[in-house]
Amino acid sequence: MVSNTAKRVMPQRARKEEDKEARRRQLLDAALELYRATSYDEVKMADVAERAELAKGTVFLYFPTKEALFLALLEEQLFAWFARLEEALGRGEGPWTGTRVARTVAETLEGEEPLTRLLARLQTVLEQNVTVEQVRGFKERLLEAVVRAGTLVEQRLSFLKAGEGVRFLLQVHALVVGLRQMADLAPVAREVHEAAPHLNPLRVDFTRELTDALSTLLSGLEAR
């Protein structure tokens, strides 16, 4: 039997955990809102606290550094995308081709600028100034997601060998990072392009270029 004391302690602990998760949620939501409106460099921890309506010190109780906060935000965004990708790969009638897989990947990333922008900062910024435990946990969960999604890609494309689905997703990452950086024009560059339309061939349409690049990659693998 559970004592009356234990009954009192368990709900209190549960409420404390719920409160902690609620504050963590507030901070992540606030960071995402600020990031959407500005840039990584412009977001300050004090601004996150203010947007979340929490004391500045509270931010550091949950996320000791700005990198830790945004790595957690990236992780949340990234695994939500993996879930969408798996759902998209798991449905649909008719044959699957390399072009169809490429289009599916690109379309699931369409409108996900915060995610793709953060991916471009993963190795150079977000994995710096964080704990070994946080990075190890992130990498372990990432491996599971990549293997699961990679297996689905291999099931859809019979010309892929075992393990090539994972390699394909790593190449997706590389293309996303490069194309996102090319597609995001700085304010001055945007002004130049608006004033000089003949320069538009230099502009990058992220979704279109990603689709074309992935289609070409998969066509090459199929033609081996």
Side-chain angles (χ1 to χ4, degrees), residues 118-161:
L118 284 173
L119 279 173
R121 288 181 173 265
L122 176 58
Q123 281 81 16
T124 58
V125 177
L126 303 185
E127 290 183 347
Q128 312 293 327
N129 201 25
V130 290
T131 65
V132 170
E133 290 76 15
Q134 185 179 10
V135 174
R136 176 64 180 268
F138 169 65
K139 295 290 188 182
E140 293 285 359
R141 291 185 289 274
L142 179 59
L143 177 60
E144 291 178 7
V146 169
V147 170
R148 192 167 56 245
T151 300
L152 281 174
V153 172
E154 290 171 14
Q155 291 172 355
R156 288 305 191 184
L157 301 175
S158 59
F159 58 82
L160 290 182
K161 300 174 183 177

mmCIF file of all heavy atoms in Angstrom, residues 118-161:
data_model
loop_
_atom_site.group_PDB
_atom_site.id
_atom_site.type_symbol
_atom_site.label_atom_id
_atom_site.label_comp_id
_atom_site.label_asym_id
_atom_site.label_seq_id
_atom_site.Cartn_x
_atom_site.Cartn_y
_atom_site.Cartn_z
ATOM 1 N N LEU A 118 19.076 26.638 -39.153
ATOM 2 C CA LEU A 118 19.791 26.095 -37.994
ATOM 3 C C LEU A 118 20.717 24.949 -38.399
ATOM 4 O O LEU A 118 21.809 24.803 -37.841
ATOM 5 C CB LEU A 118 18.799 25.631 -36.927
ATOM 6 C CG LEU A 118 18.133 26.742 -36.106
ATOM 7 C CD1 LEU A 118 17.052 26.155 -35.204
ATOM 8 C CD2 LEU A 118 19.159 27.498 -35.273
ATOM 9 N N LEU A 119 20.288 24.138 -39.357
ATOM 10 C CA LEU A 119 21.148 23.048 -39.829
ATOM 11 C C LEU A 119 22.459 23.598 -40.385
ATOM 12 O O LEU A 119 23.510 22.967 -40.240
ATOM 13 C CB LEU A 119 20.427 22.239 -40.909
ATOM 14 C CG LEU A 119 19.430 21.188 -40.426
ATOM 15 C CD1 LEU A 119 18.689 20.591 -41.606
ATOM 16 C CD2 LEU A 119 20.131 20.098 -39.623
ATOM 17 N N ALA A 120 22.383 24.765 -40.999
ATOM 18 C CA ALA A 120 23.592 25.372 -41.558
ATOM 19 C C ALA A 120 24.568 25.816 -40.468
ATOM 20 O O ALA A 120 25.740 26.056 -40.744
ATOM 21 C CB ALA A 120 23.218 26.569 -42.430
ATOM 22 N N ARG A 121 24.092 25.897 -39.220
ATOM 23 C CA ARG A 121 24.948 26.320 -38.111
ATOM 24 C C ARG A 121 25.286 25.173 -37.157
ATOM 25 O O ARG A 121 25.946 25.381 -36.146
ATOM 26 C CB ARG A 121 24.250 27.426 -37.303
ATOM 27 C CG ARG A 121 24.178 28.765 -38.029
ATOM 28 C CD ARG A 121 23.504 29.811 -37.162
ATOM 29 N NE ARG A 121 23.577 31.130 -37.767
ATOM 30 C CZ ARG A 121 24.517 32.037 -37.490
ATOM 31 N NH1 ARG A 121 25.461 31.740 -36.608
ATOM 32 N NH2 ARG A 121 24.526 33.212 -38.083
ATOM 33 N N LEU A 122 24.836 23.967 -37.481
ATOM 34 C CA LEU A 122 24.971 22.867 -36.530
ATOM 35 C C LEU A 122 26.419 22.606 -36.130
ATOM 36 O O LEU A 122 26.778 22.688 -34.955
ATOM 37 C CB LEU A 122 24.347 21.596 -37.112
ATOM 38 C CG LEU A 122 24.492 20.323 -36.275
ATOM 39 C CD1 LEU A 122 23.877 20.514 -34.889
ATOM 40 C CD2 LEU A 122 23.858 19.138 -36.983
ATOM 41 N N GLN A 123 27.260 22.268 -37.101
ATOM 42 C CA GLN A 123 28.642 21.887 -36.768
ATOM 43 C C GLN A 123 29.489 23.087 -36.350
ATOM 44 O O GLN A 123 30.331 22.971 -35.464
ATOM 45 C CB GLN A 123 29.302 21.188 -37.961
ATOM 46 C CG GLN A 123 28.904 19.727 -38.132
ATOM 47 C CD GLN A 123 27.565 19.564 -38.831
ATOM 48 O OE1 GLN A 123 27.058 20.505 -39.451
ATOM 49 N NE2 GLN A 123 26.983 18.384 -38.748
ATOM 50 N N THR A 124 29.270 24.226 -36.968
ATOM 51 C CA THR A 124 30.148 25.374 -36.724
ATOM 52 C C THR A 124 29.786 26.189 -35.495
ATOM 53 O O THR A 124 30.638 26.872 -34.927
ATOM 54 C CB THR A 124 30.154 26.308 -37.941
ATOM 55 O OG1 THR A 124 28.805 26.735 -38.216
ATOM 56 C CG2 THR A 124 30.718 25.605 -39.167
ATOM 57 N N VAL A 125 28.516 26.118 -35.066
ATOM 58 C CA VAL A 125 28.064 26.963 -33.938
ATOM 59 C C VAL A 125 27.377 26.153 -32.843
ATOM 60 O O VAL A 125 27.794 26.174 -31.681
ATOM 61 C CB VAL A 125 27.107 28.077 -34.427
ATOM 62 C CG1 VAL A 125 26.579 28.898 -33.240
ATOM 63 C CG2 VAL A 125 27.797 28.994 -35.433
ATOM 64 N N LEU A 126 26.334 25.437 -33.203
ATOM 65 C CA LEU A 126 25.463 24.844 -32.181
ATOM 66 C C LEU A 126 26.105 23.694 -31.418
ATOM 67 O O LEU A 126 25.706 23.400 -30.295
ATOM 68 C CB LEU A 126 24.150 24.373 -32.812
ATOM 69 C CG LEU A 126 23.343 25.454 -33.546
ATOM 70 C CD1 LEU A 126 22.011 24.888 -34.002
ATOM 71 C CD2 LEU A 126 23.132 26.680 -32.665
ATOM 72 N N GLU A 127 27.085 23.025 -32.022
ATOM 73 C CA GLU A 127 27.772 21.948 -31.310
ATOM 74 C C GLU A 127 29.006 22.461 -30.577
ATOM 75 O O GLU A 127 29.823 21.678 -30.102
ATOM 76 C CB GLU A 127 28.141 20.826 -32.286
ATOM 77 C CG GLU A 127 26.915 20.066 -32.766
ATOM 78 C CD GLU A 127 27.241 18.894 -33.681
ATOM 79 O OE1 GLU A 127 28.388 18.780 -34.152
ATOM 80 O OE2 GLU A 127 26.331 18.080 -33.903
ATOM 81 N N GLN A 128 29.114 23.770 -30.466
ATOM 82 C CA GLN A 128 30.170 24.395 -29.673
ATOM 83 C C GLN A 128 29.550 24.904 -28.364
ATOM 84 O O GLN A 128 28.380 25.251 -28.315
ATOM 85 C CB GLN A 128 30.789 25.583 -30.426
ATOM 86 C CG GLN A 128 31.155 25.290 -31.872
ATOM 87 C CD GLN A 128 32.295 24.298 -32.003
ATOM 88 O OE1 GLN A 128 33.191 24.266 -31.174
ATOM 89 N NE2 GLN A 128 32.253 23.495 -33.061
ATOM 90 N N ASN A 129 30.337 24.947 -27.309
ATOM 91 C CA ASN A 129 29.883 25.533 -26.051
ATOM 92 C C ASN A 129 28.654 24.832 -25.480
ATOM 93 O O ASN A 129 27.770 25.459 -24.898
ATOM 94 C CB ASN A 129 29.594 27.025 -26.249
ATOM 95 C CG ASN A 129 29.623 27.809 -24.942
ATOM 96 O OD1 ASN A 129 30.280 27.404 -23.976
ATOM 97 N ND2 ASN A 129 28.903 28.914 -24.895
ATOM 98 N N VAL A 130 28.592 23.520 -25.675
ATOM 99 C CA VAL A 130 27.539 22.697 -25.092
ATOM 100 C C VAL A 130 28.192 21.487 -24.430
ATOM 101 O O VAL A 130 29.375 21.216 -24.632
ATOM 102 C CB VAL A 130 26.513 22.234 -26.155
ATOM 103 C CG1 VAL A 130 25.682 23.393 -26.649
ATOM 104 C CG2 VAL A 130 27.217 21.560 -27.325
ATOM 105 N N THR A 131 27.423 20.752 -23.659
ATOM 106 C CA THR A 131 27.998 19.629 -22.915
ATOM 107 C C THR A 131 28.124 18.383 -23.794
ATOM 108 O O THR A 131 27.391 18.218 -24.782
ATOM 109 C CB THR A 131 27.131 19.276 -21.703
ATOM 110 O OG1 THR A 131 25.849 18.791 -22.163
ATOM 111 C CG2 THR A 131 26.928 20.490 -20.802
ATOM 112 N N VAL A 132 29.037 17.528 -23.411
ATOM 113 C CA VAL A 132 29.191 16.243 -24.091
ATOM 114 C C VAL A 132 27.888 15.453 -24.002
ATOM 115 O O VAL A 132 27.473 14.808 -24.976
ATOM 116 C CB VAL A 132 30.350 15.437 -23.468
ATOM 117 C CG1 VAL A 132 30.375 14.015 -24.000
ATOM 118 C CG2 VAL A 132 31.683 16.131 -23.727
ATOM 119 N N GLU A 133 27.227 15.521 -22.859
ATOM 120 C CA GLU A 133 25.987 14.767 -22.664
ATOM 121 C C GLU A 133 24.906 15.223 -23.635
ATOM 122 O O GLU A 133 24.176 14.400 -24.203
ATOM 123 C CB GLU A 133 25.490 14.928 -21.219
ATOM 124 C CG GLU A 133 26.346 14.231 -20.175
ATOM 125 C CD GLU A 133 27.647 14.979 -19.872
ATOM 126 O OE1 GLU A 133 27.751 16.170 -20.261
ATOM 127 O OE2 GLU A 133 28.540 14.376 -19.260
ATOM 128 N N GLN A 134 24.786 16.546 -23.827
ATOM 129 C CA GLN A 134 23.752 17.041 -24.735
ATOM 130 C C GLN A 134 24.031 16.608 -26.164
ATOM 131 O O GLN A 134 23.122 16.150 -26.874
ATOM 132 C CB GLN A 134 23.640 18.567 -24.669
ATOM 133 C CG GLN A 134 22.481 19.113 -25.516
ATOM 134 C CD GLN A 134 22.337 20.625 -25.448
ATOM 135 O OE1 GLN A 134 23.192 21.324 -24.921
ATOM 136 N NE2 GLN A 134 21.237 21.130 -26.002
ATOM 137 N N VAL A 135 25.281 16.741 -26.605
ATOM 138 C CA VAL A 135 25.622 16.364 -27.974
ATOM 139 C C VAL A 135 25.488 14.858 -28.166
ATOM 140 O O VAL A 135 24.976 14.388 -29.192
ATOM 141 C CB VAL A 135 27.046 16.835 -28.331
ATOM 142 C CG1 VAL A 135 27.455 16.304 -29.703
ATOM 143 C CG2 VAL A 135 27.123 18.353 -28.314
ATOM 144 N N ARG A 136 25.926 14.079 -27.175
ATOM 145 C CA ARG A 136 25.831 12.616 -27.286
ATOM 146 C C ARG A 136 24.362 12.190 -27.397
ATOM 147 O O ARG A 136 24.007 11.351 -28.251
ATOM 148 C CB ARG A 136 26.475 11.966 -26.059
ATOM 149 C CG ARG A 136 26.357 10.440 -26.005
ATOM 150 C CD ARG A 136 27.105 9.777 -27.149
ATOM 151 N NE ARG A 136 26.992 8.336 -27.113
ATOM 152 C CZ ARG A 136 27.858 7.540 -26.497
ATOM 153 N NH1 ARG A 136 28.909 8.058 -25.868
ATOM 154 N NH2 ARG A 136 27.706 6.241 -26.528
ATOM 155 N N GLY A 137 23.494 12.766 -26.573
ATOM 156 C CA GLY A 137 22.078 12.436 -26.651
ATOM 157 C C GLY A 137 21.480 12.806 -27.996
ATOM 158 O O GLY A 137 20.707 12.032 -28.585
ATOM 159 N N PHE A 138 21.848 13.975 -28.496
ATOM 160 C CA PHE A 138 21.361 14.424 -29.798
ATOM 161 C C PHE A 138 21.825 13.478 -30.904
ATOM 162 O O PHE A 138 21.034 13.061 -31.762
ATOM 163 C CB PHE A 138 21.861 15.844 -30.062
ATOM 164 C CG PHE A 138 21.651 16.312 -31.473
ATOM 165 C CD1 PHE A 138 20.373 16.488 -31.983
ATOM 166 C CD2 PHE A 138 22.730 16.571 -32.301
ATOM 167 C CE1 PHE A 138 20.166 16.914 -33.294
ATOM 168 C CE2 PHE A 138 22.547 16.997 -33.612
ATOM 169 C CZ PHE A 138 21.264 17.163 -34.109
ATOM 170 N N LYS A 139 23.102 13.106 -30.886
ATOM 171 C CA LYS A 139 23.648 12.237 -31.928
ATOM 172 C C LYS A 139 23.013 10.847 -31.902
ATOM 173 O O LYS A 139 22.747 10.249 -32.955
ATOM 174 C CB LYS A 139 25.167 12.114 -31.768
ATOM 175 C CG LYS A 139 25.936 13.404 -31.990
ATOM 176 C CD LYS A 139 25.937 13.831 -33.439
ATOM 177 C CE LYS A 139 26.865 15.010 -33.664
ATOM 178 N NZ LYS A 139 26.857 15.474 -35.064
ATOM 179 N N GLU A 140 22.773 10.326 -30.708
ATOM 180 C CA GLU A 140 22.155 9.002 -30.598
ATOM 181 C C GLU A 140 20.744 9.018 -31.183
ATOM 182 O O GLU A 140 20.360 8.110 -31.937
ATOM 183 C CB GLU A 140 22.112 8.559 -29.131
ATOM 184 C CG GLU A 140 23.475 8.292 -28.499
ATOM 185 C CD GLU A 140 24.102 6.989 -28.958
ATOM 186 O OE1 GLU A 140 23.477 6.260 -29.761
ATOM 187 O OE2 GLU A 140 25.224 6.680 -28.508
ATOM 188 N N ARG A 141 19.970 10.039 -30.838
ATOM 189 C CA ARG A 141 18.608 10.141 -31.361
ATOM 190 C C ARG A 141 18.621 10.407 -32.863
ATOM 191 O O ARG A 141 17.772 9.904 -33.606
ATOM 192 C CB ARG A 141 17.834 11.227 -30.612
ATOM 193 C CG ARG A 141 17.521 10.857 -29.161
ATOM 194 C CD ARG A 141 16.655 11.876 -28.473
ATOM 195 N NE ARG A 141 17.367 13.121 -28.192
ATOM 196 C CZ ARG A 141 18.102 13.334 -27.097
ATOM 197 N NH1 ARG A 141 18.238 12.364 -26.195
ATOM 198 N NH2 ARG A 141 18.688 14.493 -26.890
ATOM 199 N N LEU A 142 19.604 11.196 -33.309
ATOM 200 C CA LEU A 142 19.709 11.483 -34.735
ATOM 201 C C LEU A 142 20.023 10.217 -35.523
ATOM 202 O O LEU A 142 19.454 9.983 -36.597
ATOM 203 C CB LEU A 142 20.799 12.541 -34.964
ATOM 204 C CG LEU A 142 21.065 12.943 -36.414
ATOM 205 C CD1 LEU A 142 19.811 13.496 -37.069
ATOM 206 C CD2 LEU A 142 22.205 13.956 -36.478
ATOM 207 N N LEU A 143 20.932 9.406 -35.012
ATOM 208 C CA LEU A 143 21.272 8.157 -35.694
ATOM 209 C C LEU A 143 20.041 7.284 -35.859
ATOM 210 O O LEU A 143 19.800 6.723 -36.936
ATOM 211 C CB LEU A 143 22.354 7.413 -34.912
ATOM 212 C CG LEU A 143 22.763 6.049 -35.478
ATOM 213 C CD1 LEU A 143 23.315 6.182 -36.893
ATOM 214 C CD2 LEU A 143 23.765 5.359 -34.556
ATOM 215 N N GLU A 144 19.256 7.145 -34.817
ATOM 216 C CA GLU A 144 18.041 6.340 -34.892
ATOM 217 C C GLU A 144 17.103 6.860 -35.972
ATOM 218 O O GLU A 144 16.544 6.086 -36.763
ATOM 219 C CB GLU A 144 17.317 6.339 -33.534
ATOM 220 C CG GLU A 144 18.055 5.592 -32.430
ATOM 221 C CD GLU A 144 17.316 5.672 -31.108
ATOM 222 O OE1 GLU A 144 16.178 6.187 -31.094
ATOM 223 O OE2 GLU A 144 17.863 5.220 -30.085
ATOM 224 N N ALA A 145 16.922 8.180 -36.018
ATOM 225 C CA ALA A 145 16.013 8.781 -36.995
ATOM 226 C C ALA A 145 16.529 8.612 -38.417
ATOM 227 O O ALA A 145 15.763 8.305 -39.342
ATOM 228 C CB ALA A 145 15.811 10.263 -36.678
ATOM 229 N N VAL A 146 17.827 8.798 -38.608
ATOM 230 C CA VAL A 146 18.423 8.678 -39.949
ATOM 231 C C VAL A 146 18.334 7.238 -40.450
ATOM 232 O O VAL A 146 18.001 7.001 -41.621
ATOM 233 C CB VAL A 146 19.894 9.171 -39.936
ATOM 234 C CG1 VAL A 146 20.584 8.801 -41.241
ATOM 235 C CG2 VAL A 146 19.951 10.680 -39.730
ATOM 236 N N VAL A 147 18.630 6.288 -39.591
ATOM 237 C CA VAL A 147 18.553 4.878 -39.994
ATOM 238 C C VAL A 147 17.120 4.498 -40.338
ATOM 239 O O VAL A 147 16.858 3.816 -41.350
ATOM 240 C CB VAL A 147 19.109 3.965 -38.880
ATOM 241 C CG1 VAL A 147 18.799 2.501 -39.184
ATOM 242 C CG2 VAL A 147 20.619 4.166 -38.734
ATOM 243 N N ARG A 148 16.181 4.942 -39.532
ATOM 244 C CA ARG A 148 14.766 4.615 -39.779
ATOM 245 C C ARG A 148 14.295 5.209 -41.111
ATOM 246 O O ARG A 148 13.690 4.519 -41.936
ATOM 247 C CB ARG A 148 13.923 5.130 -38.621
ATOM 248 C CG ARG A 148 12.491 4.606 -38.599
ATOM 249 C CD ARG A 148 11.817 4.894 -37.272
ATOM 250 N NE ARG A 148 11.851 6.315 -36.951
ATOM 251 C CZ ARG A 148 12.523 6.833 -35.910
ATOM 252 N NH1 ARG A 148 13.215 6.038 -35.101
ATOM 253 N NH2 ARG A 148 12.492 8.135 -35.670
ATOM 254 N N ALA A 149 14.580 6.491 -41.329
ATOM 255 C CA ALA A 149 14.158 7.142 -42.576
ATOM 256 C C ALA A 149 14.939 6.595 -43.766
ATOM 257 O O ALA A 149 14.383 6.415 -44.859
ATOM 258 C CB ALA A 149 14.349 8.655 -42.466
ATOM 259 N N GLY A 150 16.222 6.326 -43.563
ATOM 260 C CA GLY A 150 17.030 5.773 -44.647
ATOM 261 C C GLY A 150 16.525 4.421 -45.098
ATOM 262 O O GLY A 150 16.541 4.102 -46.300
ATOM 263 N N THR A 151 16.073 3.607 -44.162
ATOM 264 C CA THR A 151 15.512 2.304 -44.501
ATOM 265 C C THR A 151 14.249 2.451 -45.346
ATOM 266 O O THR A 151 14.023 1.694 -46.303
ATOM 267 C CB THR A 151 15.202 1.505 -43.223
ATOM 268 O OG1 THR A 151 16.413 1.318 -42.474
ATOM 269 C CG2 THR A 151 14.610 0.136 -43.553
ATOM 270 N N LEU A 152 13.440 3.447 -45.024
ATOM 271 C CA LEU A 152 12.226 3.701 -45.813
ATOM 272 C C LEU A 152 12.574 4.121 -47.233
ATOM 273 O O LEU A 152 11.924 3.700 -48.193
ATOM 274 C CB LEU A 152 11.387 4.795 -45.147
ATOM 275 C CG LEU A 152 10.534 4.377 -43.953
ATOM 276 C CD1 LEU A 152 9.871 5.597 -43.323
ATOM 277 C CD2 LEU A 152 9.465 3.369 -44.381
ATOM 278 N N VAL A 153 13.601 4.950 -47.367
ATOM 279 C CA VAL A 153 14.041 5.363 -48.707
ATOM 280 C C VAL A 153 14.497 4.140 -49.507
ATOM 281 O O VAL A 153 14.155 3.996 -50.686
ATOM 282 C CB VAL A 153 15.174 6.411 -48.618
ATOM 283 C CG1 VAL A 153 15.751 6.686 -50.004
ATOM 284 C CG2 VAL A 153 14.668 7.708 -47.994
ATOM 285 N N GLU A 154 15.245 3.253 -48.876
ATOM 286 C CA GLU A 154 15.705 2.041 -49.562
ATOM 287 C C GLU A 154 14.535 1.153 -49.968
ATOM 288 O O GLU A 154 14.559 0.526 -51.034
ATOM 289 C CB GLU A 154 16.656 1.268 -48.651
ATOM 290 C CG GLU A 154 17.998 1.950 -48.438
ATOM 291 C CD GLU A 154 18.835 1.274 -47.361
ATOM 292 O OE1 GLU A 154 18.490 0.126 -46.982
ATOM 293 O OE2 GLU A 154 19.814 1.881 -46.906
ATOM 294 N N GLN A 155 13.508 1.088 -49.148
ATOM 295 C CA GLN A 155 12.329 0.295 -49.477
ATOM 296 C C GLN A 155 11.594 0.869 -50.684
ATOM 297 O O GLN A 155 11.012 0.126 -51.483
ATOM 298 C CB GLN A 155 11.397 0.212 -48.274
ATOM 299 C CG GLN A 155 11.954 -0.623 -47.121
ATOM 300 C CD GLN A 155 11.108 -0.526 -45.860
ATOM 301 O OE1 GLN A 155 10.131 0.236 -45.800
ATOM 302 N NE2 GLN A 155 11.472 -1.299 -44.847
ATOM 303 N N ARG A 156 11.624 2.189 -50.829
ATOM 304 C CA ARG A 156 10.953 2.842 -51.952
ATOM 305 C C ARG A 156 11.761 2.741 -53.239
ATOM 306 O O ARG A 156 11.192 2.734 -54.340
ATOM 307 C CB ARG A 156 10.687 4.316 -51.621
ATOM 308 C CG ARG A 156 9.585 4.550 -50.589
ATOM 309 C CD ARG A 156 8.305 3.888 -51.017
ATOM 310 N NE ARG A 156 7.158 4.290 -50.207
ATOM 311 C CZ ARG A 156 5.934 3.776 -50.356
ATOM 312 N NH1 ARG A 156 5.735 2.838 -51.283
ATOM 313 N NH2 ARG A 156 4.938 4.196 -49.607
ATOM 314 N N LEU A 157 13.082 2.684 -53.131
ATOM 315 C CA LEU A 157 13.942 2.684 -54.310
ATOM 316 C C LEU A 157 14.773 1.407 -54.319
ATOM 317 O O LEU A 157 15.787 1.309 -53.632
ATOM 318 C CB LEU A 157 14.843 3.920 -54.305
ATOM 319 C CG LEU A 157 14.117 5.270 -54.301
ATOM 320 C CD1 LEU A 157 15.117 6.407 -54.182
ATOM 321 C CD2 LEU A 157 13.248 5.439 -55.545
ATOM 322 N N SER A 158 14.364 0.451 -55.114
ATOM 323 C CA SER A 158 14.996 -0.869 -55.094
ATOM 324 C C SER A 158 16.441 -0.836 -55.582
ATOM 325 O O SER A 158 17.204 -1.761 -55.299
ATOM 326 C CB SER A 158 14.185 -1.840 -55.960
ATOM 327 O OG SER A 158 14.117 -1.366 -57.301
ATOM 328 N N PHE A 159 16.839 0.212 -56.309
ATOM 329 C CA PHE A 159 18.213 0.264 -56.819
ATOM 330 C C PHE A 159 19.219 0.689 -55.754
ATOM 331 O O PHE A 159 20.429 0.614 -55.983
ATOM 332 C CB PHE A 159 18.306 1.195 -58.039
ATOM 333 C CG PHE A 159 17.871 2.609 -57.786
ATOM 334 C CD1 PHE A 159 18.722 3.538 -57.203
ATOM 335 C CD2 PHE A 159 16.592 3.014 -58.157
ATOM 336 C CE1 PHE A 159 18.318 4.845 -56.992
ATOM 337 C CE2 PHE A 159 16.180 4.322 -57.950
ATOM 338 C CZ PHE A 159 17.045 5.241 -57.361
ATOM 339 N N LEU A 160 18.738 1.117 -54.601
ATOM 340 C CA LEU A 160 19.654 1.481 -53.521
ATOM 341 C C LEU A 160 20.110 0.234 -52.771
ATOM 342 O O LEU A 160 19.313 -0.653 -52.465
ATOM 343 C CB LEU A 160 18.978 2.441 -52.546
ATOM 344 C CG LEU A 160 18.694 3.858 -53.050
ATOM 345 C CD1 LEU A 160 18.057 4.692 -51.934
ATOM 346 C CD2 LEU A 160 19.955 4.538 -53.558
ATOM 347 N N LYS A 161 21.389 0.191 -52.458
ATOM 348 C CA LYS A 161 21.941 -0.911 -51.687
ATOM 349 C C LYS A 161 21.752 -0.648 -50.199
ATOM 350 O O LYS A 161 21.458 0.480 -49.785
ATOM 351 C CB LYS A 161 23.430 -1.068 -52.005
ATOM 352 C CG LYS A 161 23.726 -1.353 -53.468
ATOM 353 C CD LYS A 161 25.220 -1.352 -53.738
ATOM 354 C CE LYS A 161 25.515 -1.557 -55.216
ATOM 355 N NZ LYS A 161 26.964 -1.489 -55.505
#
